[in-house]
Amino acid sequence: MTNEHMQKCFPAYIPEEEIRKAGAKENEYNVYRICKWGELNQHAFISTYEEVLERDGNVNDLDLNDISSFSTSCFEKEKDAKRMMKFFTKKIHKLYWHMGI
């Protein structure tokens, strides 16, 4: 991740030097991501914070001191992503069944 990209991804109130002091380094990984919108693109990798902003703009329910609020869930192993997708699919199906849809 370049410095320019980091500045775009993280809210302005988290100074880049603090992120680097915390041990962040540039790395490359192959990861698996469950794309909620069915299309693999840059938008599929937005953080929880960005997703909430986009949905309704109400970040009051997020713990802005918890780094996971600014994370994107990815999996190192394909089998783990598939297992989680199966879990989400069952949850959604169950929700629709309870709603009578």
Side-chain angles (χ1 to χ4, degrees), residues 1-98:
M1 181 178 287
T2 66
N3 288 343
E4 181 181 306
H5 187 74
M6 251 191 319
Q7 289 170 350
K8 288 179 184 176
C9 289
F10 294 100
Y13 56 84
I14 301 178
E16 180 182 333
E17 59 271 4
E18 292 299 314
I19 295 169
R20 291 206 179 265
K21 270 196 251 178
K25 296 180 178 93
E26 291 186 30
N27 293 302
E28 285 191 33
Y29 295 97
N30 291 320
V31 296
Y32 296 88
R33 169 84 173 140
I34 299 170
C35 301
K36 297 177 187 177
W37 299 279
E39 188 174 327
L40 182 59
N41 55 27
Q42 184 176 354
H43 187 259
F45 287 87
I46 64 173
S47 67
T48 301
Y49 178 86
E50 291 169 302
E51 191 174 328
V52 170
L53 279 180
E54 194 174 89
R55 184 179 57 235
D56 62 14
N58 183 8
V59 295
N60 295 330
D61 291 337
L62 291 177
D63 180 357
L64 300 181
N65 292 313
D66 182 353
I67 194 66
S68 69
S69 296
F70 305 99
S71 68
T72 301
S73 297
C74 294
F75 302 88
E76 289 184 62
K77 298 177 182 171
E78 183 179 9
K79 68 178 178 126
D80 293 336
K82 285 181 176 179
R83 184 171 22 93
M84 202 51 133
M85 185 66 186
K86 188 175 180 180
F87 170 78
F88 287 138
T89 303
K90 283 182 181 178
K91 279 249 191 232
I92 290 170
H93 182 69
K94 192 174 186 179
L95 174 66
Y96 285 149
W97 184 78
H98 284 296

